[in-house]
Every structure is written in structure tokens, then in C-alpha cells.
Amino acid sequence: MDFGLVLQTDPPASEVVGLMRRAERNGFRYGWTFDSAVLWQEPFVIYSRILEHTTGLVVGPMVTNPGTRTWEVTASTFATLNEMYGNRTVCGIGRGDSAMRVAGRKPNTLARLGEAIGVIRDLAEGREAEVDGQLLRLPWVRDGKLPVWMAAYGPKALALAGEKADGFILQLADPFLTEWMVKAVRQAAADAGRDPAAVTICVAAPAYVTEDASDAVLAHAREQCRWFGGMVGNHVADLVSRYGEHSAMVPEALTAYIKERHGYDYSHHGRAGNPSTDFVPDEIVDRFCLLGPPAAHIEKLTALRELGVDQFAVYDMHDAKEATIDAYGAEIIPAFS
């Protein structure tokens, strides 16, 4: 199992670079960031510095979208980084939540997302692709490689990921939901004539390592990670509006907890103490995140690996960033070497 670190690109950018360097020293192989141009600094500028100051770390957005930048710009940016640093990027992509909504736009349609996956990958790898009716090719690309991993929750999105993406990003660490969604993605891949095992599975969720499992210690860890249930709740709310509260298309294990959700303030997006996440119960925090002593993390990660998860990406947005990276490097990543 590979491990990744996920950060927001809050200033100063030097701190993001420093945490990524720390992660690589501790055995992490991937460095991910949020991509929302209004809320945080531009990630692709920072990727260049991360790549310069690491030796093998693979970097990319978790996740970009087809609407913030034109597709040829996205592809050219990845291809430029790959030319400079040796094919060390990955494109995580989705419909666009915060990046689009904060700018007053709706998330992209799945049809647009599916088209963008192929176009961005083709252009970044030097092949010709059609953008808005115009055939384009980046003539300077040589031996470029850009895997495109798609974030998804709902049945149609899961099917699209299986049909077109090189990898699937699931932003929660609940084993029951992971099993259900991985099966859906792999079935879609098989139905499309692809090798289901060739689709990389990445689970991403907050991890908070504690010294013990006492009630007070775990309560603090939960409060530091409760924001994640609110972030996932944005996507779940979209699913409920599309399929209804009790649809056979989406498990109630995913949708039931948002009944008390009342709006969302993106100014606190992805941050500990987010006041828009008071509806998230402890049970959801425990299911969606990894909390507790190292042994608890190893136990849950082992279960996820048995379900086919190839990478666990640590959302490191809380008051123990360095300690979490170090604990994973010292006690958790070695267990999966």
C-alpha cells in the first residue's frame, strides 16, 4: 500500500513544501493538495517547488476540475512539470465543489468531466485531442505520462470512473462504503472492457494519531477531524437531491447523517473547528476517519487494503500535522512496506 499526504495550500507556501519534504522522508510516496483558486494559493506553482525539493514524490491535486482552467492549460501545466522533473505528477479530478461554487458557478456535469479526463490525459502525453471543436496537440511533449484519477461517490460517477479513469479517489475511509464503491468502479471497468485491477484505488481521509484511546484524547481527535464529515456532506447532499433520501442507488450508510445539515460556509472549508459541521455525529467521524493509537490505524488500513485499496492519502488539516506525518513514518507505513 502506498501513502499520500494531502494539504491545503495556505500561505506561506514554504510550509507546504516543508511538510511535503517531511512526508517523503517518512515514506510517503504521493503529495496531494486541494485546488480551489479563491480559497487557497495556486497549487501548480507550489508543485514546482515541491518537486524541486523532493526526489521521488509524485504530486497532484485532490482534486482539480474541468471548469477552473481550460483543458489545454491544465494539460500543458502537468506536461511542463513532467518535462522538468520526470513524470512525477498525477491528475486527481472531479466535478468541482469549492472551486466552482465559491466562484458562483455550478459543478461540472459528469459528461463534461468524462470528456475532460480523456482530453487532458491525451494532451499531456503528447497525443492529439479535440477541445471545443478544435484539434490540438502539444508538439513539445516527449514521453509524457499523466495518470488521471477521478473522485466519485454516486452510482453514475462511480461508473464513469471505472469506464475512463486510471484511478478512483474515494474521500472517506469507511470499510462498508469502500467495499460497495470499489465493487461498482471495478464492475464498470469490466463492463467497459478494461482490466478492473488496472484501476488504482485511493482512499483519502483525515488521520489523527494519539498516544492512547482514552475518551478525552479521542474526543479531541474527533473535534479536529469533524470538518471532514461536513466536506463529504456537500457531495452527499448533491446525491440526495438527485436520488432522494431512501434510494436503492445510494446506501443509507452514506446519506442518513446529513438530515440535520443546514447549509455550508466555504470560508471554513476543510478546516478544524468548521462551524458548518456541527451536524456531523461522532459515529460518522469514527467511520470516515482514522483516529487513535497507531495500532488502530494499522487495523483499519489492513481492512481497507484487503478491500483492494492501493493508496491511503492522509488529510493533514488539524493541530498535529508534523506529529501525524512522523507517527505514520515511524509506526504505520513500515507495517505496510
Side-chain angles (χ1 to χ4, degrees), residues 4-303:
L5 183 73
V6 190
L7 299 174
Q8 294 169 334
T9 51
D10 286 318
S14 58
E15 182 175 332
V16 177
V17 175
L19 288 170
M20 290 297 186
R21 293 180 68 189
R22 189 183 197 116
E24 185 178 52
R25 291 195 301 270
N26 276 282
F28 288 80
R29 292 195 59 237
Y30 284 75
W32 303 92
T33 74
F34 282 34
D35 177 16
S36 192
V38 174
L39 296 177
W40 301 288
Q41 293 184 323
E42 171 57 37
F44 286 94
V45 177
I46 300 171
Y47 295 158
S48 188
R49 296 291 289 173
I50 294 170
L51 289 165
E52 181 181 3
H53 289 284
T54 55
T55 58
L57 201 70
V58 177
V59 305
M62 188 176 281
V63 292
T64 192
N65 70 87
T68 303
R69 308 172 186 83
T70 60
W71 301 351
E72 71 274 17
V73 170
T74 298
S76 182
T77 304
F78 277 113
T80 300
L81 291 171
N82 284 337
E83 193 279 329
M84 293 173 69
Y85 299 103
N87 287 337
R88 289 170 53 199
T89 67
V90 57
C91 177
I93 194 167
R95 293 176 59 229
D97 177 33
S98 63
M100 298 298 287
R101 287 182 164 123
V102 167
R105 308 183 188 104
K106 292 182 179 180
N108 298 268
T109 64
L110 287 176
R112 181 172 171 81
L113 174 57
E115 185 182 358
I117 287 172
V119 168
I120 291 169
R121 181 171 49 213
D122 283 345
L123 290 175
E125 295 185 349
R127 294 183 295 275
E128 187 176 74
E130 183 177 323
V131 181
D132 297 329
Q134 181 72 34
L135 288 176
L136 301 176
R137 186 174 71 86
L138 305 180
W140 49 268
V141 174
R142 298 288 183 273
D143 301 318
K145 187 66 178 175
L146 182 67
V148 181
W149 297 5
M150 179 183 155
Y153 291 107
K156 292 182 180 179
L158 294 170
L160 180 61
E163 292 164 5
K164 298 203 171 189
D166 300 299
F168 163 51
I169 297 171
L170 173 58
Q171 292 165 310
L172 54 81
D174 175 72
F176 172 79
L177 293 172
T178 298
E179 182 177 19
W180 182 80
M181 294 186 188
V182 169
K183 284 182 178 178
V185 168
R186 290 196 164 147
Q187 185 61 55
D191 292 345
R194 305 178 66 201
D195 178 3
V199 180
T200 302
I201 307 297
C202 174
V203 161
Y208 198 104
V209 182
T210 63
E211 292 184 0
D212 58 59
S214 65
D215 290 345
V217 167
L218 288 179
H220 176 77
R222 287 190 190 101
E223 288 310 311
Q224 288 294 304
C225 298
R226 197 175 304 277
W227 62 266
F228 184 66
M231 186 182 84
V232 173
N234 293 331
H235 304 285
V236 174
D238 285 344
L239 294 178
V240 170
S241 67
R242 188 174 298 116
Y243 297 104
E245 289 186 19
H246 306 288
S247 170
M249 300 288 287
V250 184
E252 284 202 40
L254 177 62
T255 61
Y257 83 98
I258 68 161
K259 291 179 180 178
E260 301 302 320
R261 178 181 181 271
H262 302 289
Y264 190 82
D265 183 354
Y266 279 93
S267 66
H268 306 285
H269 190 54
R271 300 189 186 280
N274 185 338
S276 298
T277 61
D278 55 358
F279 69 93
V280 180
D282 288 353
E283 181 242 346
I284 287 293
V285 182
D286 291 346
R287 280 174 45 203
F288 285 11
C289 305
L290 276 76
L291 312 174
H297 292 246
I298 292 171
E299 180 181 5
K300 192 166 189 178
L301 289 169
T302 299

